[in-house]
Amino acid sequence: MGPGALQKKLEEEVEAYKKIQKDISKTSGLRTQLDVQLNENKVVKEELDLINEENVVYKLIGPALIRQDLEEARQNVSKRVDYIQQEIKRHGNTIEKLEKEAEAKRENIAKHQQQLQQMMMKQAAK
Amino acid sequence: MRVVWAFSREESGKGDSSFSLYQAAPRITREPRVRKVSSHQLIAPAGGLRPRPKSQDNPVVFSENLANLLELKRVHQERLEKVEDELSKLQKYKKDYEHLLKRLKTLPDKITHEVMVPLGTLAVVPGQLIHTNEVLVLLGDNWFAERSAKQAIHIVRRRIKDCEDKIRSCEETQRIHLGWLKEAEEVLQGEQGDQVEIIEEMTEEEYQRSQEEHRRRVKAQYTQLTESSTCHPASPPSPPSPPAYVEGLGEGGKRSYEDLMRRLDQLEVEELGEGMEPLEEEDEEEEEEEEEDDEEEEEEDEDEAFSTGTANDANTEKAVTFKPRLRLHSAEAGGCVEEDRAPTDDTDDESSSHGSEKPLFLRKHRLKRRVSWADDARPLYTIIPDDSSADIHHIAYTSGSTAPSTLPLGVDGAVGPAAAVKEAAEYEGDIKSPSDIFKVFGQPFSQSFDDKDAVLSSSPPIKSILKKSMSLPADAPYQMWRGGRGGRGGPPPPPSPPPKRSLSFKPAFSYRVLERKGAAAAAATTTTTTASTTSATKISKVSRL
């Protein structure tokens, strides 16, 4: 493979690697956001557990405060907590996978670079 | 005008997720603190100073390291700034919550409050605050709860506590970053200020001479200590101040450390040969003063812990003291190595050189904490227990009216064929052809027997293997397998015509229900013998007819 072709291949690999990196950062950003949401929902859950039946619970849906049943609200929040935890796990897995791919790509790129360098040296020697 | 004033939304924020509403506090710029270090930070290598060549470090490496350090420093700085932002934000929140707390306390004092109500961003109108005890609290994630003022106060208190926790953790991180930056700064400062790098410049010969001197003193000290300790051979004095990390080693580790040190000293002396001189105490003290690191303490220990043994006498003595120590270790660790080596150690202990090698060898083993099974290695034999061993579960089965075959089945019946073959081989010894197999195993079909020998004593009827006759040769391997899987009734009868089979023997499957859980009583009456032998499960179709 001539150096030109190799170089092009290297560039492609670098592009792919960058894309993977972007994916990784995006997913980890999502994950942090989910973490924040999880914390918040945990706090809400605690508070809801503390209040007793007589108080009223509302939910802000759009511009309106809609009255909610306490039990229903509690269940909703617990379900949401579980859901967020699942999402976090899922994202975590995705991140791991992406990182592995990125690692492989990195090695690949290094290898190609080495090859390219050797070729350059050979050509220079010639 | 009724105004439902959700205090918590306005003042205290919507929990953690909506920090963006708040203006970030102005950045607090920090300059890296440059401190003059007054105390000596001495980085002297262990074992004394070595002569350094005049041209110092490799400049390329140095600049690389410098660049890396600067980069790291920059990153730390960034993190620190972020943490400080967070910290200030949290403190603002806390202050807001405290204001809110105050407001909530005073709110229910009056049933209505006269207030100026903001209308949009540019206007305020006079108005009244009513329902003063009813507060709508944002719990987070668009959930609201109506609470009384007092209950709202409780909520606010909880939030303040959360804030404080977060502040504490932020401060911790901040402290860590600051500490790191400070150290990095000091490293970078390097030569400036009172910090001095200890460089003692000497030529090669000077170095050699100093080494010689050191060795002599070491020997002298060694002898001196052994002479003093021969009066007390029982307990070798422990090193006065073991390095800090030894404390954490625990009993076994400490002892091995001491042994190691003693051993090293002993070897050093041996290496250097005889010839002692009285040690000069002042030099040691000087060394003590100058050097503070743990490594230096180690060196001290080396000097002072020549507790046992002169060149030759001590070796044997030490070897002797080693033995009980070894035994102790073996008792502790329970490792094979020590126990195996101990007898050899006994034999080799006459000459000190041997003794010296063995304990070292042993010590290495001990320190490595390796258990070697080399001496205990036994080739793993496949043990096929013979007939009388308890491992074999004899499951009696029968293929028909004949008495149960007592072919051994081996453990779990899994090695039935193999065991059967083995047994046959034992008896016959000359199974050389398939027909021999038949001869050996074909008997169950035609005869009833209780004794294995009966199989072999009688000559089997010679049959063609192709005919589907009474004693079906094709069944011979089947029977072996049947023997192998004693737990089941065996494979279904081959497609050979059942009536012919019935001439010679009943089918293996007796079709008789031995025992059902529900009908255990009934079964017991009918098949009393079987009830005693078989378990009450449907799975076992073994029948003793």
Side-chain angles (χ1 to χ4, degrees):
Chain A
M1 203 186 299
L6 198 60
Q7 191 128 12
K8 210 168 7 151
K9 195 153 180 285
L10 191 69
E11 279 174 15
E12 285 175 11
E13 302 250 340
V14 169
E15 283 300 316
Y17 180 67
K18 278 200 199 131
K19 201 166 82 66
I20 290 186
Q21 288 282 61
K22 227 185 331 177
D23 284 341
I24 286 182
S25 55
K26 195 175 61 162
T27 321
S28 47
L30 277 176
R31 188 157 180 267
T32 357
Q33 202 189 12
L34 282 176
D35 256 334
V36 165
Q37 277 183 357
L38 182 72
N39 278 338
E40 191 182 355
N41 276 291
K42 278 202 187 133
V43 167
V44 173
K45 192 162 179 305
E46 283 172 19
E47 292 286 348
L48 281 179
D49 290 338
L50 280 173
I51 71 176
N52 35 18
E53 190 58 50
E54 62 201 24
N55 295 110
V56 193
V57 176
Y58 299 90
K59 179 143 173 98
L60 186 69
I61 297 181
L65 270 181
I66 312 284
R67 190 181 168 133
Q68 294 275 343
D69 190 23
L70 180 63
E71 270 311 312
E72 200 183 316
R74 280 187 184 151
Q75 276 179 9
N76 275 351
V77 176
S78 342
K79 268 191 224 141
R80 200 165 150 74
V81 165
D82 292 333
Y83 171 72
I84 291 181
Q85 275 173 343
Q86 269 181 9
E87 285 285 297
I88 284 179
K89 224 187 308 179
R90 202 168 57 87
H91 279 266
N93 287 343
T94 322
I95 285 181
E96 263 182 38
K97 215 162 34 107
L98 283 176
E99 268 181 4
K100 269 192 221 143
E101 274 180 39
E103 188 67 39
K105 273 263 181 289
R106 219 180 302 163
E107 285 174 10
N108 222 355
I109 285 177
K111 211 171 39 151
H112 280 295
Q113 269 181 345
Q114 267 185 358
Q115 283 181 356
L116 196 64
Q117 267 182 358
Q118 283 174 357
M119 238 183 245
M120 295 296 208
M121 276 174 22
K122 263 189 244 167
Q123 283 201 340
K126 262 191 257 179
Chain B
M1 177 163 71
R2 175 183 172 149
V3 175
V4 176
W5 199 263
F7 271 100
S8 39
R9 178 175 262 262
E10 292 286 327
E11 292 198 19
S12 51
K14 308 175 191 173
D16 297 339
S17 64
S18 318
F19 283 174
S20 54
L21 284 185
Y22 275 72
Q23 304 286 335
R27 261 171 157 218
I28 304 169
T29 54
R30 302 184 76 93
E31 293 102 23
R33 275 187 248 170
V34 177
R35 265 180 38 186
K36 298 281 183 186
V37 180
S38 56
S39 64
H40 284 248
Q41 288 203 352
L42 309 178
I43 315 169
L49 303 164
R50 305 244 144 68
R52 274 207 218 177
K54 303 288 180 173
S55 60
Q56 251 296 2
D57 299 305
N58 185 2
V60 174
V61 173
F62 182 67
S63 65
E64 250 181 41
N65 286 340
L66 192 64
N68 287 341
L69 189 63
L70 287 177
E71 181 68 25
L72 206 54
K73 203 172 136 209
R74 194 180 57 81
V75 171
H76 268 261
Q77 200 90 356
E78 278 176 16
R79 297 268 172 85
L80 184 68
E81 278 168 5
K82 254 189 248 166
V83 162
E84 282 176 353
D85 285 346
E86 184 83 12
L87 203 60
S88 60
K89 218 172 9 176
L90 285 170
Q91 275 164 350
K92 184 168 181 300
Y93 287 162
K94 185 158 165 240
K95 210 159 42 116
D96 286 347
Y97 274 125
E98 278 162 8
H99 274 263
L100 182 61
L101 203 62
K102 220 171 23 170
R103 175 66 63 225
L104 281 173
K105 280 189 183 149
T106 60
L107 205 54
D109 288 348
K110 299 195 329 194
I111 47 172
T112 60
H113 286 271
E114 298 282 337
V115 288
M116 291 298 268
V117 181
L119 214 57
T121 47
L122 301 170
V124 282
V125 292
Q128 275 189 342
L129 218 52
I130 59 177
H131 289 272
T132 49
N133 205 29
E134 295 164 22
V135 183
L136 203 60
V137 179
L138 171 69
L139 304 175
D141 194 26
N142 285 344
W143 286 99
F144 287 81
E146 223 179 56
R147 312 236 73 197
S148 76
K150 222 184 206 157
Q151 289 163 335
I153 285 175
H154 288 315
I155 294 181
V156 168
R157 284 227 173 90
R158 272 192 292 260
R159 294 213 184 146
I160 289 179
K161 200 164 74 69
D162 278 340
C163 263
E164 280 172 356
D165 287 342
K166 289 206 181 88
I167 285 177
R168 232 176 296 140
S169 67
C170 269
E171 278 176 350
E172 184 68 33
T173 330
Q174 185 193 32
R175 198 172 55 81
I176 289 174
H177 281 302
L178 275 177
W180 193 95
L181 281 172
K182 190 177 71 151
E183 289 299 325
E185 211 32 61
E186 281 174 0
V187 167
L188 279 180
Q189 290 303 317
E191 305 271 312
Q192 300 175 18
D194 300 342
Q195 239 180 343
V196 176
E197 238 185 290
I198 301 181
I199 300 176
E200 193 177 326
E201 285 161 11
M202 40 164 58
T203 63
E204 195 59 36
E205 349 175 310
E206 281 178 27
Y207 177 62
Q208 291 298 336
R209 258 185 278 140
S210 68
Q211 284 289 84
E212 284 295 325
E213 194 64 30
H214 172 71
R215 283 188 208 127
R216 269 190 305 111
R217 290 190 202 138
V218 153
K219 267 180 267 174
Q221 171 71 338
Y222 193 64
T223 1
Q224 192 188 44
L225 282 174
T226 51
E227 281 161 11
S228 64
S229 77
T230 42
C231 316
H232 319 280
S235 59
S238 58
S241 55
Y245 64 82
V246 174
E247 313 295 336
L249 272 183
E251 264 312 301
K254 267 187 191 161
R255 220 171 308 184
S256 71
Y257 170 76
E258 290 167 14
D259 293 340
L260 172 67
M261 293 279 81
R262 255 179 254 118
R263 186 62 199 147
L264 282 175
D265 306 335
Q266 181 191 0
L267 287 174
E268 191 177 356
V269 169
E270 281 172 25
E271 185 185 332
L272 301 174
E274 308 270 303
M276 315 290 178
E277 281 181 18
L279 180 65
E280 298 162 11
E281 291 295 326
E282 306 107 44
D283 291 336
E284 251 191 78
E285 286 170 18
E286 276 174 8
E287 284 180 38
E288 270 184 59
E289 280 172 14
E290 282 179 37
E291 294 154 346
E292 302 166 0
D293 286 339
D294 285 346
E295 301 167 81
E296 272 54 69
E297 281 179 64
E298 222 179 311
E299 200 185 6
E300 268 176 58
D301 296 334
E302 223 177 313
D303 287 337
E304 294 174 19
F306 297 149
S307 44
T308 58
T310 55
N312 281 329
D313 300 338
N315 284 350
T316 47
E317 184 195 281
K318 213 200 270 189
V320 167
T321 58
F322 259 125
K323 259 195 294 191
R325 209 157 272 281
L326 284 173
R327 295 261 164 71
L328 212 65
H329 251 276
S330 67
E332 273 179 35
C336 289
V337 180
E338 286 81 356
E339 284 162 60
D340 286 334
R341 298 274 181 260
T344 58
D345 200 21
D346 285 334
T347 59
D348 287 343
D349 248 352
E350 292 90 25
S351 68
S352 58
S353 55
H354 283 278
S356 64
E357 280 168 20
K358 275 291 177 192
L360 177 65
F361 185 51
L362 277 155
R363 195 212 309 280
K364 274 189 182 160
H365 272 264
R366 196 187 313 131
L367 283 178
K368 279 184 190 167
R369 301 253 182 260
R370 217 186 59 215
V371 175
S372 122
W373 304 103
D375 295 312
D376 292 334
R378 279 188 297 265
L380 294 171
Y381 295 118
T382 309
I383 300 173
I384 303 180
D386 62 350
D387 206 23
S388 56
S389 87
D391 288 340
I392 295 184
H393 305 286
H394 287 268
I395 301 178
Y397 81 101
T398 181
S399 57
S401 59
T402 57
S405 153
T406 53
L407 276 178
L409 300 174
V411 180
D412 291 336
V415 291
V421 170
K422 186 170 173 292
E423 285 291 321
E426 281 178 14
Y427 288 104
E428 276 290 334
D430 53 0
I431 292 186
K432 290 191 175 59
S433 74
S435 56
D436 296 338
I437 299 177
F438 167 63
K439 278 181 205 155
V440 172
F441 295 108
Q443 299 318 301
F445 294 93
S446 49
Q447 295 177 352
S448 69
F449 59 93
D450 291 312
D451 186 9
K452 269 185 290 301
D453 298 333
V455 181
L456 313 154
S457 54
S458 63
S459 57
I462 300 187
K463 303 276 182 197
S464 159
I465 62 172
L466 295 176
K467 276 198 211 147
K468 295 177 185 169
S469 58
M470 289 184 4
S471 349
L472 287 165
D475 282 334
Y478 255 141
Q479 280 306 309
M480 274 171 29
W481 278 107
R482 277 221 196 109
R485 307 196 194 116
R488 298 196 270 129
S496 58
K500 277 197 185 167
R501 273 177 64 105
S502 62
L503 287 177
S504 61
F505 48 83
K506 284 195 189 138
F509 194 11
S510 69
Y511 307 115
R512 188 193 291 195
V513 175
L514 299 172
E515 219 172 302
R516 286 243 167 85
K517 278 189 180 148
T525 55
T526 52
T527 57
T528 44
T529 49
T530 56
S532 60
T533 53
T534 59
S535 61
T537 63
K538 295 179 279 179
I539 297 173
S540 79
K541 298 188 185 116
V542 173
S543 66
R544 181 191 292 271
L545 298 174

